C-alpha cells in the first residue's frame, strides 16, 4: 500500500479556525492537500471560553478540510496562545561519561532534560523546550555538537510554559471532536516557521503576528528564538473602539475598518465622509475618514507600543539587524507598516506564509501564517498526522504518538 507522509495542523484563532493537511512532495517540499476554515466562536483573546463552541469550530474546519482532501484526519498539531504563556531561557549541563567521548543524540537529550528541570510551579506545564545552542567544554555557540569530542556539554534552551487550566481546556475542546493531538505549538513559533527567512533569524528579526484577539511576538537572533510572548490584544479591540465611538453595530464597525480604515488620519483627511448607521436613530450619520483613522491609529499605537515593550524586554532590541516582520490579519490594515516603523523604530516588512507548495489564494494571506507554519513545524519536527482514506481503510498510521510531549500524555486518559 502506498505510504504518504502527511502532516495536519489546526490553528484555533480568536476569529477563525483553520485546519490544514499537507504532504511531502517528490521535490522534498511540503505541498498543501487541503484546508478548511470556519469562524471561531468559543475563543476570547486566544483562550477557550466555550468548550462546545470551540469544538464545533474545530469540527467544521476539519470536516471541510476532509471533504476537499477525501481523507479523514484523526490527529493533528494544534496551535496554542493566550496571555498565560510565559517564556524563559535556561541552561542544562551533562557530563560525557568515560572522560569524554564523541557527543551523541542521547547526550543532547540529557543536557536538554537538565535544562527542562527548571522549577515550574505546579499550575504550569512546559509546552516547548527549544534548543538554542550548545557549549562544549566552554566553547560557546555550537549549533550541532553531535560527533564532536568533549567532556562537559551544556545546552541553552528557550522554555515556554502555559497554565494547566488553559491548556487543559484547549486539549479537551479538540479531543471532544474525536481528534488526537500530536503536539501543541505556540502560535508565534508556528507563524515564524512560515514567515521569517533564515537570514532574518540569523541577523536578528522579530516576528509579530497581530490577529483578532492576540498579538504574538517572537524574537530571533543567531538562528534561534530568544524571547516569545502572547499579548491579549488584536484587531477586535480596534473594531470594538470603532463600534463604541461611532455607536454602530460591531459587524458594521469591522467592515468600516477593513474597507475604509487607515492608520494615518492625514492620508485620508480629504476623502469624502462615510454614511454610518447608528444604533440610536437607525439612520446614517456622516463620519469623516480622518476620525475613523484616528480611532484606528490610537489603538494600533497602543498595541505596537506593547510590542515595543516586549522587544525591549527580550534584551536584544539593539541587535535586531533584520527588523520586524509583521503578519496576521491586522497586517493588512492600510498604513500599518509605516505606523509600525515609527512606533518600533525598526525596519518593518509585511510577511505572508511561504514554504508550502500549492497554496491557493485563500490561504496565501497573512491571516494564515500560523496554520501554514503548523504544517511546516510538524514537518520539521517529524510529527506525522494520522489520516485514513475515506472508505478505503487506513493507509498510514505511523509513529506520531511518540512525539507528543510527556506532559501532553499525562492529560490523556
Ligand atoms: N484588511 C484589513 N484591515 C484591517 N484589519 C483586518 C483586515 N483583514 C483582517 N483584519 C483583521 O484581522 C483580524 C483577524 O486576524 P487573524 O485571522 O490573523 O486572527 P485569528 O488568527 O483568528 O486570531 P488570533 O491569532 O488573534 O487568536 C480581525 O480583527 C480582522 O478585523
Ligand atoms: Mg492567529
Amino acid at each position: 500500500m502506498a505510504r504518504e507522509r502527511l502532516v495536519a495542523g489546526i490553528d484555533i484563532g480568536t476569529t477563525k479556525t483553520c485546519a490544514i493537511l499537507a504532504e511531502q512532495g517528490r521535490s522534498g517540499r511540503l505541498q498543501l492537500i487541503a484546508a478548511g476554515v470556519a469562524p471561531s466562536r468559543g475563543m476570547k483573546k486566544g483562550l477557550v471560553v466555550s468548550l462546545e463552541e470551540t469544538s464545533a469550530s474545530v469540527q467544521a474546519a476539519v470536516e471541510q478540510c476532509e471533504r476537499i482532501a477525501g481523507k479523514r484526519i484523526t490527529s493533528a498539531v494544534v496551535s496554542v496562545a493566550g496571555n498565560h504563556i510565559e517564556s524563559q531561557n535556561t541552561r542544562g549541563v551533562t557530563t560525557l561519561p568515560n572522560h569524554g567521548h564523541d557527543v551523541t543524540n542521547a547526550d543532547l537529550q540529557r543536557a536538554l532534560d537538565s535544562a527542562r528541570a527548571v522549577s515550574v510551579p505546579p499550575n504550569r506545564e512546559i509546552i516547548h523546550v527549544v534548543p538554542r545552542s550548545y557549549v562544549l567544554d566552554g566553547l560557546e555557540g555550537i549549533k550541532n555538537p553531535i560527533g564532536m569530542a568533549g567532556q562537559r556539554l551544556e545546552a541553552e534552551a528557550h522554555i515556554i510554559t502555559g497554565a494547566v487550566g488553559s491548556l487543559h481546556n484547549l486539549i479537551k475542546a479538540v479531543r471532544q471532536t474525536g481528534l488526537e493531538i500530536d503536539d501543541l505549538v505556540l502560535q508565534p513559533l508556528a507563524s515564524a516557521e512560515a514567515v521569517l527567512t533564515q537570514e532574518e533569524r540569523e541577523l536578528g528579526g522579530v516576528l509579530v503576528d497581530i490577529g483578532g484577539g492576540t498579538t504574538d511576538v517572537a524574537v530571533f537572533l543567531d538562528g534561534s528564538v530568544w524571547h516569545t510572548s502572547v499579548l491579549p490584544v488584536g484587531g477586535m479591540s480596534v473594531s470594538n473602539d470603532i463600534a463604541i465611538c461611532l455607536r454602530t453595530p460591531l459587524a458594521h464597525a469591522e467592515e468600516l475598518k477593513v474597507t475604509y480604515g487607515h492608520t494615518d488620519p492625514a492620508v485620508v483627511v480629504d476623502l469624502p465622509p462615510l454614511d454610518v448607521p447608528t444604533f440610536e436613530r437607525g439612520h446614517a450619520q456622516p463620519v469623516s475618514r480622518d476620525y475613523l483613522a484616528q480611532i484606528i491609529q490610537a489603538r494600533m499605537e497602543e498595541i505596537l507600543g506593547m510590542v515595543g515593550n516586549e522587544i525591549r524586554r527580550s534584551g536584544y532590541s539593539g541587535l535586531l539587524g533584520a527588523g520586524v516582520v509583521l503578519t496576521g490579519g491586522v497586517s493588512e490594515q492600510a498604513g500599518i507598516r509605516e505606523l509600525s516603523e515609527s512606533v518600533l523604530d525598526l525596519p518593518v516588512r509585511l510577511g505572508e506564509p511561504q514554504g508550502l507548495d500549492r497554496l491557493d489564494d485563500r490561504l496565501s494571506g497573512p491571516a494564515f501564517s500560523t496554520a501554514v507554519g503548523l504544517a511546516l513545524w510538524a514537518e520539521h519536527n517529524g510529527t506525522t498526522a494520522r489520516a485514513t482514506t475515506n472508505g478505503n481503510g487506513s493507509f498510514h498510521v505511523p509513529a506520531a504518538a511518540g512525539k507528543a510531549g510527556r506532559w501532553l500524555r499525562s492529560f490523556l486518559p
Side-chain angles (χ1 to χ4, degrees):
M1 196 173 292
R3 285 177 72 82
E4 297 173 39
R5 175 138 160 54
L6 294 175
V7 293
I10 304 171
D11 173 31
I12 310 178
T14 307
T15 63
K16 51 101 182 57
T17 297
C18 178
I20 189 164
L21 186 66
E23 72 180 321
Q24 199 165 53
R26 287 225 175 83
S27 63
R29 275 172 62 94
L30 209 56
Q31 296 184 332
L32 179 76
I33 298 177
V37 185
S40 292
R41 304 214 189 276
M43 301 288 291
K44 203 169 177 190
K45 298 180 191 291
L47 295 173
V48 175
V49 291
S50 160
L51 286 174
E52 279 63 39
E53 286 179 304
T54 302
S55 274
S57 301
V58 170
Q59 182 109 31
V62 168
E63 277 174 4
Q64 197 187 106
C65 182
E66 288 176 333
R67 253 195 322 277
I68 298 169
K71 300 178 196 299
R72 253 181 68 71
I73 299 168
T74 53
S75 77
V77 294
V78 172
S79 73
V80 58
N83 71 339
H84 61 106
I85 300 292
E86 287 173 9
S87 70
Q88 65 187 104
N89 292 323
T90 66
R91 202 175 248 219
V93 189
T94 186
T95 49
L96 306 177
N98 307 327
H99 305 294
H101 63 201
D102 292 353
V103 176
T104 64
N105 208 10
D107 298 321
L108 293 196
Q109 267 317 313
R110 274 207 320 285
L112 285 173
D113 279 347
S114 143
R116 159 192 285 275
V118 288
S119 72
V120 177
N123 58 346
R124 301 191 67 76
E125 288 285 356
I126 293 178
I127 303 171
H128 292 287
V129 178
V130 187
R132 294 207 330 261
S133 74
Y134 297 89
V135 183
L136 189 58
D137 293 345
L139 178 64
E140 304 225 356
I142 302 172
K143 286 289 167 207
N144 180 7
I146 287 183
M148 293 174 73
Q151 296 192 4
R152 178 187 156 91
L153 177 70
E154 292 164 75
E156 293 189 337
H158 184 67
I159 296 202
I160 296 163
T161 65
V164 171
S166 302
L167 295 174
H168 189 86
N169 290 337
L170 181 70
I171 291 168
K172 202 165 175 192
V174 174
R175 283 172 55 88
Q176 272 183 5
T177 66
L179 276 168
E180 294 299 332
I181 299 174
D182 292 323
D183 244 330
L184 292 184
V185 182
L186 191 69
Q187 286 182 13
L189 290 186
S191 299
E193 289 279 337
V195 169
L196 280 193
T197 64
Q198 191 55 36
E199 194 177 9
E200 284 163 340
R201 288 161 195 254
E202 293 289 342
L203 275 177
V206 188
L207 178 282
V208 180
D209 182 326
I210 313 184
T214 66
T215 293
D216 305 329
V217 182
V219 179
F220 286 79
L221 186 64
D222 290 337
S224 43
V225 61
W226 286 83
H227 184 77
T228 45
S229 174
V230 179
L231 305 167
V233 284
M236 284 168 87
S237 316
V238 179
S239 303
N240 271 325
D241 291 350
I242 296 171
I244 291 167
C245 291
L246 304 185
R247 302 206 179 107
T248 194
L250 196 53
H252 201 78
E254 173 76 21
E255 198 187 316
L256 282 175
K257 176 185 79 170
V258 170
T259 314
Y260 303 104
H262 203 287
T263 60
D264 185 353
V267 173
V268 291
V269 68
D270 292 330
L271 296 175
L274 302 162
D275 279 339
V276 178
T278 60
F279 278 124
E280 284 136 357
R281 279 156 278 140
H283 57 77
Q285 61 173 343
V287 170
S288 72
R289 293 282 295 268
D290 63 317
Y291 182 48
L292 177 65
Q294 278 171 29
I295 302 168
I296 297 172
Q297 182 190 41
R299 180 62 84 158
M300 286 315 308
E301 273 178 355
E302 187 198 7
I303 294 176
L304 290 164
M306 292 166 78
V307 170
N309 287 341
E310 281 306 318
I311 295 174
R312 277 186 290 283
R313 225 158 63 84
S314 76
Y316 295 97
S317 52
L319 299 171
L320 302 171
V324 171
V325 184
L326 205 60
T327 194
V330 174
S331 71
E332 295 203 81
Q333 179 77 71
I336 187 87
R337 199 184 66 79
E338 293 76 6
L339 183 68
S340 307
E341 284 196 333
S342 92
V343 174
L344 299 173
D345 200 18
L346 283 166
V348 176
R349 82 166 171 93
L350 303 181
E352 293 191 338
Q354 307 285 332
L356 191 58
D357 288 349
R358 295 196 196 143
L359 263 192
D360 52 26
D361 284 351
R362 199 174 55 131
L363 279 198
S364 58
F368 295 97
S369 296
T370 310
V372 170
L374 283 177
L376 295 168
W377 193 94
E379 157 85 351
H380 295 159
N381 289 276
T383 309
T384 309
R386 279 161 280 171
T388 56
T389 45
N390 275 349
N392 294 327
S394 168
F395 66 88
H396 191 69
V397 187
K403 290 296 297 178
R406 57 189 100 173
W407 64 271
L408 182 55
R409 285 195 295 275
S410 73
F411 277 115
L412 308 180

